[in-house]
Amino acid sequence: MSSSVQYQPSSSVDVVTIGESMVLLQPMSEGPLAYAPFFTRSIAGAESNVAIGLTRLGRKVRWIGRLGADPFGDMIVHTLAGEGVDVSLAERDPAYPTAIYFKEFKGYGDPNVYYYRKGSAASQLSPVHVKPEWFAGARHLHVTGITPALGPYTADAVRSAMKEARSRGLTVSFDPNLRRKLWTEEEARRTLLELIPLCDLFLPGLEEAEFLLGERSEEAYGQAFREMGPETVVLKLGERGAVGFSGERAVRADPVRVPRIVDTVGAGDAFAAGLLSVYLDREEDEGWLERALRTANTMGAMAVQYRGDWEGMPSRSELDRLLAGGRDVTR
Ligand code: KDG
């Protein structure tokens, strides 16, 4: 059975994003998943992580996705709605389930992830589902390279959403979010390269840039991706910060150091949320790229200090305090 709660659509939003959200089960202890006795449950999904991050920073976001007509689907819409995300256009499919994913914490480095998402409701997304109302009253579309990897028609659906958004005057951002567990390298490379020309803002990590184009300098990646179409390219450099290329400008931003990294999953989405929160106002501010990179790095740094894919992202006031050089006040 699925929830009878009806969510009201917002007439205007800053950002619309489309993707799969899943239930996330995280072991309460470190060590092999095979022996983990207790789990906490939350939700996850690159695009809904970005939606939550942006909402916390005061932006209005509409999340679109397909979920099962099952209790886990209910949990996802209720959690997103509770965070202030517009879920009124999320679709529930009685024929396919909501996906689940598990993390395994080793005590160092990136957690391992195990997906149970083949045949999920989200993997059935196809171009026939893409509707004009998804984009109504929106300024920007954010998509990732995870959705195209999910099912036979999901890449076509993402392509058609990007084209539709642009034809309606929205700007489009694209984070390749390479997930090697979901598709072959050949398919991933071909599809991701095909989608780059349909975005205005491209957000690869350094490893993803190398996967797509082979080894080059950071400047050469910036130039090559911009020649494919996007006006702005931001390369995430991990512990070296980030570099952005837009117009004639190349801007570098130092990383934000953190005392302890707890969970790296979701850091890229926090980065994207921070970046987009400034990108949306770029026309009013010449120094927007510097500000955007600093905000993005700070968001990423906050996210990695907590378990969970989005829980650590700060509110607007917390972020402003950190950007102004303030410290965490604990007592
Ligand atoms: O970027 C974080 C996401 O990877 C995570 O929340 C789950 O969407 C997800 C995925 O496909 O890995």
Side-chain angles (χ1 to χ4, degrees):
M1 209 183 32
S2 79
S3 164
S4 54
V5 181
Q6 292 292 317
Y7 291 104
Q8 289 310 309
S10 343
S11 53
S12 70
V13 289
D14 297 297
V15 175
V16 56
T17 185
I18 304 161
E20 173 162 54
S21 293
M22 299 171 281
V23 163
L24 164 59
L25 292 169
Q26 303 187 107
M28 291 173 72
S29 44
E30 285 169 1
L33 196 55
Y35 304 102
F38 301 114
F39 293 82
T40 58
R41 62 141 178 75
S42 182
I43 71 158
E47 302 79 4
S48 54
N49 299 339
V50 172
I52 293 172
L54 275 165
T55 305
R56 288 189 177 173
L57 297 185
R59 297 297 186 171
K60 273 193 168 174
V61 187
R62 177 182 296 146
W63 175 81
I64 313 269
R66 301 184 70 75
L67 296 164
D70 49 27
F72 280 166
D74 290 349
M75 197 193 123
I76 290 170
V77 280
H78 294 164
T79 307
L80 290 175
E83 288 291 322
V85 176
D86 176 353
V87 290
S88 58
L89 299 182
E91 303 254 348
R92 309 297 297 272
D93 186 338
Y96 298 93
T98 301
I100 309 178
Y101 109 89
F102 290 80
K103 274 188 201 163
E104 178 177 63
F105 292 103
K106 295 168 288 186
Y108 62 89
D110 297 336
N112 294 327
V113 306
Y114 297 91
Y115 296 126
Y116 294 80
R117 67 197 306 184
K118 240 197 180 97
S120 67
S123 70
Q124 309 303 312
L125 179 74
S126 86
V128 297
H129 297 121
V130 177
K131 299 192 184 79
E133 73 231 46
W134 288 5
F135 310 98
R139 298 164 56 194
H140 184 88
L141 168 71
H142 178 72
V143 285
T144 82
I146 296 175
T147 316
L150 297 177
Y153 308 110
T154 52
D156 292 339
V158 171
R159 190 177 304 112
S160 119
M162 290 168 97
K163 286 187 177 163
E164 180 74 18
R166 283 185 124 190
S167 75
R168 292 169 172 269
L170 279 73
T171 44
V172 176
S173 50
F174 179 45
D175 183 337
N177 258 339
L178 177 64
R179 297 287 179 270
R180 291 175 199 265
K181 284 196 170 179
L182 297 180
W183 48 359
T184 65
E185 292 205 346
E186 292 72 21
E187 265 182 300
R189 192 174 292 108
R190 182 177 38 79
T191 310
L192 296 174
L193 282 170
E194 239 173 61
L195 295 173
I196 296 170
L198 299 176
C199 77
D200 303 279
L201 170 61
F202 183 51
L203 300 172
L206 195 55
E207 267 182 41
E208 291 165 332
E210 189 177 335
F211 170 80
L212 292 170
L213 298 180
E215 207 181 325
R216 302 188 186 189
S217 69
E218 288 157 13
E219 285 67 26
Y221 286 133
Q223 189 180 338
F225 288 131
R226 289 192 60 236
E227 278 168 7
M228 293 181 196
E231 193 195 351
T232 304
V233 171
V234 173
L235 259 185
K236 292 169 268 184
L237 307 175
E239 53 193 28
R240 288 192 299 110
V243 55
F245 305 90
S246 194
E248 296 304 303
R249 311 189 56 219
V251 173
R252 279 187 184 272
D254 290 335
V256 174
R257 305 264 171 228
V258 297
R260 197 167 68 109
I261 296 178
V262 175
D263 182 358
T264 51
V265 182
D269 304 326
F271 182 97
L275 194 93
L276 285 173
S277 72
V278 179
Y279 178 83
L280 290 166
D281 291 338
R282 69 197 172 288
E283 264 138 39
E284 291 147 35
D285 175 5
E286 261 187 38
W288 74 268
L289 191 53
E290 284 84 351
R291 209 155 56 80
L293 294 181
R294 203 161 148 251
T295 306
N297 279 339
T298 309
M299 288 287 285
M302 290 300 289
V304 299
Q305 296 183 65
Y306 296 89
R307 266 186 188 225
D309 294 11
W310 50 270
E311 283 84 342
M313 287 194 268
S315 65
R316 177 85 260 169
S317 57
E318 283 166 331
L319 179 75
D320 287 345
R321 199 177 64 235
L322 289 165
L323 289 172
R327 303 198 3 210
D328 277 348
V329 178
T330 50
R331 301 183 61 184

